[in-house]
DNA sequence: TCCAACCATCACACAGGTGTGATGGTTGTC
DNA sequence: GACAACCATCACACCTGTGTGATGGTTGGA
């Protein structure tokens, strides 16, 4: 597929797909006319990128993380340098922190919503038709 | 305490504390000389802000969420408008998505690290001194 | 009294993710 | 062949969170 379809199927803009490529997150093949060409796997990959970006990770980090998330797990131990592994561990820990933090706060919001709804219920019922 | 101490105790810069105030996330009282004055509760509050920012939420949203996270839970049902509640629910759902997404990916990274470590172990041991 | 160490405001700058538009090439259809 | 609908590159601009520095007021200790 070409860039327009990928954009539609991932809910991104063409501009961003080019940007992700520029940042080295995806590498499109090129047709003879210069058009970028993508296969289906890019759909998930782009969604993954969007999710990680939304979670607050910068492209620089995403670039390092992505190769480890490939589903067919082809490369077990690539040229993973010790620094690379250290980065991964550090990033994993930061993600764990984020998860815990988000969970705590989401639960607090939930609790708040519950309380508000409980206290609001009474005034929903007005005089029940005497 | 004044801005310098708060900055030190929260690991932020004075600049950012003023920015958060400008964005309506915190409201400092002012001493007679114009200096900002904070009590201890601001330490947690600022850390909370930092965490939410780090998790990818913009100040605009944080501003709406923060009041629901106050620990003494003083305000059960404030002037919570329906739109406000809707925003909260939407944001809670987005946080849940983020949590699930982060968890999946963190686990994948973890799994990757495990595999790499397993496959790397062998070549740590070189010829064991014949 | 002077100086260091705070504080205030304000302005400019930057980086990263994103939008928008200019300019021009390719392709398929009428 | 003309036109619409793609595609390409490039440049400029925006927003948000941050840094940095200029300029000046306050305070407390040598």
């Amino acid at each position: 597929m070409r860039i327009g379809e990928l954009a539609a199927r991932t809910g991104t803009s063409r501009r961003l797909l080019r940007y992700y490529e520029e940042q080295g997150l995806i590498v499109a093949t090129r047709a003879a006319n210069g058009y970028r060409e993508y296969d289906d796997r890019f759909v998930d990959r782009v969604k993954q990128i969007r999710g990680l970006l939304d979670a607050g990770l910068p492209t620089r980090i995403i670039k390092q993380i992505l190769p480890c998330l490939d589903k067919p797990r082809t490369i077990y131990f690539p040229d993973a340098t010790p620094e690379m592994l250290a980065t991964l561990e550090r990033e994993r820990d930061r993600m764990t922190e984020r998860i815990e933090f988000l969970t705590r706060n989401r639960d607090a919001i939930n609790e708040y919503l519950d309380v508000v709804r409980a206290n609001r219920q009474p005034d929903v019922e007005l005089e029940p038709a005497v």
Side-chain angles (χ1 to χ4, degrees), chain A residues 49-57 98 102:
Chain A
I49 292 170
R50 306 280 306 165
L52 291 170
L53 277 174
D54 180 61
L57 281 75
R98 258 186 267 247
L102 277 170

Side-chain angles (χ1 to χ4, degrees), chain A residues 95-113:
Chain A
M95 288 169 83
T96 298
E97 279 174 28
R98 258 186 267 247
I99 289 166
E100 287 166 0
F101 190 90
L102 277 170
T103 303
R104 275 203 309 277
N105 283 284
R106 186 216 31 199
D107 292 349
I109 290 176
N110 241 345
E111 189 191 321
Y112 173 85
L113 284 171

Side-chain angles (χ1 to χ4, degrees), chain A residues 2 10 14-15 28-29 32 36 39 45 49 57 74 79 86 112 115 118 122 129:
Chain A
R2 288 179 312 199
T10 56
R14 295 152 217 252
R15 170 72 173 85
T29 58
R36 289 176 179 79
D39 62 64
R45 189 166 177 104
I49 292 170
L57 281 75
T74 38
D79 53 351
Y112 173 85
V115 173

